[in-house]
């Protein structure tokens, strides 16, 4: 409101004032909405109370959902950081935008939604995680995490800000919010804005804010029913991955089982590289919090399943503690918008670049087209178009975000954008329009690589999932999501599913044709850039 009812208007003669008010009213009605696109890294719906998760309370995220809409079936089309971000920016699948895996560099010369918004008069900014290697384009202001190959640091993080390298003091989640508020403070109030507010948290190695260190030390989190999955009933892909809590989670980097003295004896240790960034008083707190964990582990009586359970608890304690700061900072940002009178003029989206395994199938990490990581959180608040408390089962994908923003901004959606605007769903209380898509498409490329998740593509419909693993394997999987929501029982090839299988194979082909991924197995040999087994730190 303050944009349009400035104090100078009060000095105008009455007639002029009423004319001005009339014009202002019109301007208000036709004004393009602001957009705040909040995205975290590796946050998953199991760790959000508005999705019914039983691990943690997320009151500020819940506020967005309660005052807006929650999508139950939003899917990443390639569940990995860089690729997902490229899909979001372009509204196109990986094989079209060229960023197939985390060894890629984003071709920033291509069309993106921030560029289109900027051309249409929006003030654009990106703050926080970028992870696309090339310099951001289409932003009036950018300030991105630059340490650790753009993964960024939790403590005293490095930023690359409008072309300059700077180091900030403090905790990344808080700093990114400070920077977001600073941008909003200094913005041109005559223009709508689009701000991409991207947190590093809760990405590995899950380092909580100083105020949250040890906060869950006395909490025991419920274990997922398939924490001790033996992969019976699945194929090689599930068995041959390298992302298990049992084997892959490391004692130092992930579980933080090193004392200060041990780190100082081997300062090349990766944990030390992030520990040393903390101020001494935080290091002291860290030491006291993790001393108990280290002692417990070193008693040596944890074996087999009890060791897996124990590791799971430590993983949850750290991961969920980083989510606390994310939620608090979302609250700060919402309160700030309320204070400046822009809350209801702003489309507020909260999502994460993909979901994550929190012990399901015995795993952490992502990449697989299995539900916990393929599914993204998606909650949106915009009271001018969205009924409070609505939910949607419409099959949606991260390539839909770009056309949705363009649609709300009144910009024509370019025909080469592959996603669909979610506006018809949003303005219709979440109901799925009759002509809506039947399946989400997925294609993962990064193999051979860290975590050894085989290349695969497939579709997710309301009730089923069909997956083809390829490259050094040729295996199909199909899941009946209603009967088997945890994806424990591959029904591909089972006679009772023959009819459904035929239907899904047909739908997969049609979907690939529609999205121009018509020769996925072959094309990838050209697209993939080689063996990434040595690439760490994603
Ligand atoms: Ca991620």
């Amino acid at each position: 409101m303050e944009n349009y009812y400035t104090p100078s208007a009060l000095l105008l003669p009455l007639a002029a004032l009423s004319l001005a008010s009339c014009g202002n009213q019109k301007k208000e009605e036709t004004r393009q909405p602001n957009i705040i696109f909040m995205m975290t890294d590796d946050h998953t719906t199991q760790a959000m109370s508005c999705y019914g998760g039983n691990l943690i309370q997320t009151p500020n995220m819940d506020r967005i959902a309660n005052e807006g809409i929650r999508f139950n079936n939003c899917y990443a089309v390639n569940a990995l950081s860089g690729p997902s971000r490229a899909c979001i920016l372009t509204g196109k699948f990986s094989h079209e935008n060229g960023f197939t895996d985390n060894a890629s560099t984003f071709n920033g010369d291509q069309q993106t939604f921030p560029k289109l918004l900027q051309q249409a008069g929006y003030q654009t900014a990106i703050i926080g995680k970028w992870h696309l290697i090339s310099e951001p384009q289409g932003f009036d202001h950018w300030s991105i995490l630059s340490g650790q190959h753009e993964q960024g640091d939790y403590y005293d993080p490095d930023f690359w800000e409008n072309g300059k390298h700077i180091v900030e003091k403090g905790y990344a989640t808080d700093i990114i919010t400070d920077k977001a508020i600073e941008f909003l403070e200094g913005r041109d109030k005559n223009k709508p804005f689009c701000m991409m507010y991207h947190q590093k948290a809760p990405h590995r190695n899950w380092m909580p804010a100083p105020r949250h260190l040890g906060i869950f030390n006395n909490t025991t989190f419920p274990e997922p029913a398939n924490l001790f999955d033996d992969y019976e009933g699945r194929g090689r892909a599930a068995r041959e991955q390298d992302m298990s809590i049992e084997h892959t989670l490391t004692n130092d980097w992930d579980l933080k089982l090193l004392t200060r003295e041990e780190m100082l004896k081997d300062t090349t240790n990766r944990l030390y590289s992030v520990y040393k960034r903390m101020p001494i008083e935080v290091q002291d707190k860290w030491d006291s919090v993790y001393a108990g964990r280290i002692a417990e582990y070193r008693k040596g009586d944890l074996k087999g399943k009890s060791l897996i359970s124990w590791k799971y608890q430590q993983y949850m304690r750290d991961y969920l503690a980083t989510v606390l700061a994310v939620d608090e900072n979302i609250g700060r940002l919402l309160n700030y918008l309320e204070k400046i009178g822009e809350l209801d003029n702003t489309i507020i989206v909260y999502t994460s670049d993909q979901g994550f395994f929190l012990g399901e199938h015995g795993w952490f990490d992502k990449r697989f087209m299995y539900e916990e990581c393929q599914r993204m959180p998606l909650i949106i608040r915009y009271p001018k178009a969205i009924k409070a408390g609505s939910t949607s089962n419409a099959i949606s994908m991260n390539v839909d975000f770009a056309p949705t923003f363009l649609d709300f901004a009144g910009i024509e959606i370019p025909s080469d954008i592959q996603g669909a605007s979610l506006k018809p769903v949003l303005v219709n209380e979440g109901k799925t329009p009759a002509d809506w898509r039947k399946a989400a498409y997925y294609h993962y490329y990064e193999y051979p690589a860290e975590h050894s998740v085989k290349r695969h593509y497939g579709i997710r419909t309301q009730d089923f999932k069909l997956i083809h693993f390829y490259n050094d394997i040729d295996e199909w999987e199909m899941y009946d999501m209603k009967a088997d929501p945890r994806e424990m029982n591959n029904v591909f090839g089972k006679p009772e599913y023959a009819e459904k299988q035929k239907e899904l194979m047909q739908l997969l082909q049609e979907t690939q044709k529609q999205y121009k991924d018509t020769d996925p197995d072959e094309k990838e040999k050209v697209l993939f850039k080689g063996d990434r087994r040595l690439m760490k730190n994603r």
Side-chain angles (χ1 to χ4, degrees):
M1 297 291 274
E2 67 188 48
N3 290 356
Y4 303 104
Y5 297 93
T6 55
S8 61
L10 299 173
L11 303 173
L12 293 169
L14 195 61
L17 178 63
S18 72
L19 263 178
S21 310
C22 197
N24 284 340
Q25 203 173 359
K26 201 171 168 208
K27 197 173 171 188
E28 176 77 8
E29 279 162 12
T30 56
R31 185 187 161 181
Q32 292 160 306
N34 304 314
I35 297 163
I36 295 188
F37 183 69
M38 302 179 171
M39 185 158 74
T40 43
D41 197 341
D42 294 352
H43 189 210
T44 186
T45 54
Q46 307 95 288
M48 290 171 79
S49 40
C50 54
Y51 275 94
N54 59 359
L55 294 168
I56 190 176
Q57 291 300 311
T58 48
N60 294 296
M61 295 173 196
D62 295 4
R63 178 181 174 191
I64 297 174
N66 293 337
E67 296 175 4
I69 188 168
R70 184 192 78 217
F71 280 77
N72 296 323
N73 293 318
C74 180
Y75 295 103
V77 304
N78 183 356
L80 193 60
S81 179
S84 177
R85 289 157 205 272
C87 293
I88 287 168
L89 282 172
T90 59
K92 296 176 184 175
F93 290 86
S94 307
H95 62 277
E96 289 289 318
N97 67 46
F99 200 107
T100 51
D101 59 80
N102 270 343
S104 308
T105 296
F106 185 64
N107 170 13
D109 293 337
Q110 66 187 305
Q111 171 184 284
T112 63
F113 83 82
K115 282 187 191 175
L116 295 168
L117 289 174
Q118 191 183 40
Q119 284 159 19
Y122 270 76
Q123 208 170 167
T124 56
I126 177 155
I127 293 154
K129 179 121 178 206
W130 169 247
H131 208 201
L132 291 170
I133 314 302
S134 55
E135 186 169 310
Q137 293 187 34
F139 298 99
D140 297 309
H141 171 73
W142 52 272
S143 183
I144 58 172
L145 289 166
S146 65
Q148 297 199 55
H149 307 287
E150 293 194 5
Q151 287 293 3
D153 283 289
Y154 278 110
Y155 283 92
D156 289 3
D158 295 350
F159 281 83
W160 189 23
E161 187 166 291
N162 302 321
K164 286 197 192 104
H165 283 275
I166 50 172
V167 186
E168 300 286 2
K169 293 278 171 213
Y171 186 67
T173 311
D174 302 332
I175 294 168
I176 289 166
T177 312
D178 295 342
K179 286 178 176 288
I181 291 173
E182 208 174 292
F183 164 74
L184 293 176
E185 283 279 289
R187 77 190 192 281
D188 176 351
K189 296 188 174 66
N190 295 311
K191 288 180 171 182
F193 62 83
C194 170
M195 179 175 74
M196 301 176 79
Y197 164 81
H198 290 189
Q199 292 291 2
K200 168 191 173 63
H203 191 273
R204 195 180 180 189
N205 70 334
W206 317 296
M207 294 172 77
R211 62 188 177 279
H212 297 138
L213 280 170
I215 196 163
F216 293 130
N217 269 10
N218 298 315
T219 306
T220 303
F221 293 99
E223 291 179 353
N226 52 2
L227 178 62
F228 305 110
D229 195 351
D230 60 4
Y231 315 118
E232 185 71 36
R234 260 69 44 76
R236 276 176 55 203
R239 284 197 296 274
E240 294 179 14
Q241 46 61 42
D242 180 19
M243 49 190 268
S244 70
I245 288 175
E246 182 176 15
H247 300 293
T248 317
L249 210 60
T250 60
N251 279 356
D252 49 3
W253 179 243
D254 297 315
L255 293 167
K256 302 149 187 113
L257 299 174
L258 280 182
T259 63
R260 182 190 306 203
E261 290 68 32
E262 285 159 346
M263 283 189 270
L264 289 172
K265 269 185 215 152
D266 175 16
T267 55
T268 61
N269 183 278
R270 188 150 170 227
L271 185 63
Y272 183 69
S273 74
V274 289
Y275 176 89
K276 71 180 180 192
R277 303 183 76 94
M278 298 189 284
I280 187 75
E281 64 276 12
V282 181
Q283 288 181 352
D284 289 344
K285 186 168 182 194
W286 178 282
D287 293 345
S288 68
V289 162
Y290 288 100
R293 181 186 293 191
I294 293 169
E296 214 170 81
Y297 179 74
R298 291 186 183 170
K299 272 194 280 174
D301 47 11
L302 293 160
K303 301 261 176 341
K305 284 188 177 176
S306 65
L307 181 57
I308 297 171
S309 288
W310 185 84
K311 286 183 178 181
Y312 165 78
Q313 291 299 332
Q314 315 317 315
Y315 164 39
M316 282 304 91
R317 284 170 185 169
D318 292 346
Y319 177 98
L320 294 170
T322 67
V323 174
L324 290 179
V326 171
D327 192 70
E328 286 174 3
N329 277 284
I330 287 174
R332 256 177 86 198
L333 201 47
L334 293 176
N335 290 341
Y336 174 76
L337 287 168
E338 203 158 25
K339 193 184 92 186
I340 63 168
E342 293 292 346
L343 184 63
D344 290 352
N345 299 326
T346 306
I347 299 173
I348 295 167
V349 177
Y350 177 80
T351 187
S352 185
D353 56 350
Q354 62 330 273
F356 213 66
F357 294 105
L358 301 183
E360 299 87 2
H361 304 288
W363 296 336
F364 69 101
D365 214 71
K366 54 245 180 182
R367 298 157 195 275
F368 271 113
M369 199 189 149
Y370 297 138
E371 200 66 1
E372 291 82 0
C373 87
Q374 185 192 7
R375 182 159 91 144
M376 306 165 81
L378 179 62
I379 48 180
I380 309 177
R381 185 192 188 281
Y382 185 49
K384 290 180 180 177
I386 299 169
K387 191 177 168 221
S390 35
T391 58
S392 182
N393 290 325
I395 299 270
S396 42
M397 298 184 275
N398 54 356
V399 289
D400 297 336
F401 302 164
T404 304
F405 298 143
L406 297 174
D407 203 358
F408 271 105
I411 300 166
E412 195 181 336
I413 300 164
S415 59
D416 59 348
I417 282 191
Q418 296 181 299
S421 169
L422 297 173
K423 193 175 175 185
V425 180
L426 293 169
V427 300
N428 195 26
E429 299 178 20
K431 293 186 192 80
T432 310
D435 57 352
W436 198 248
R437 68 167 71 93
K438 300 288 178 263
Y441 186 58
Y442 189 88
H443 196 156
Y444 172 81
Y445 302 82
E446 195 176 276
Y447 179 88
E450 190 188 12
H451 295 303
S452 288
V453 174
K454 295 184 189 297
R455 297 179 198 182
H456 58 292
Y457 55 83
I459 49 169
R460 165 65 153 109
T461 67
Q462 287 286 351
D463 296 335
F464 281 88
K465 200 174 281 188
L466 178 69
I467 312 173
H468 182 222
F469 291 95
Y470 71 98
N471 185 247
D472 63 348
I473 181 175
D474 179 11
E475 289 185 10
W476 289 85
E477 293 184 9
M478 181 172 143
Y479 295 96
D480 179 341
M481 299 304 295
K482 285 279 181 291
D484 178 27
R486 292 195 179 91
E487 296 158 299
M488 301 295 283
N489 183 26
N490 176 16
V491 298
F492 191 87
K494 296 207 167 154
E496 62 271 35
Y497 285 96
E499 201 54 38
K500 180 50 80 176
Q501 184 177 311
K502 205 173 135 193
E503 187 192 308
L504 289 170
M505 292 294 263
Q506 177 69 29
L507 184 58
L508 173 64
Q509 273 186 13
E510 287 164 15
T511 305
Q512 288 181 320
K513 198 172 162 199
Q514 180 191 351
Y515 296 133
K516 302 190 179 86
D517 197 16
T518 48
D519 196 4
D521 311 58
E522 285 308 307
K523 198 175 187 180
E524 187 36 30
K525 286 179 187 151
V526 182
L527 280 176
F528 194 70
K529 288 143 205 98
D531 191 330
R532 302 296 170 200
R533 264 171 291 207
L534 297 175
M535 261 190 74
K536 291 285 179 189
N537 191 24
R538 274 89 39 82

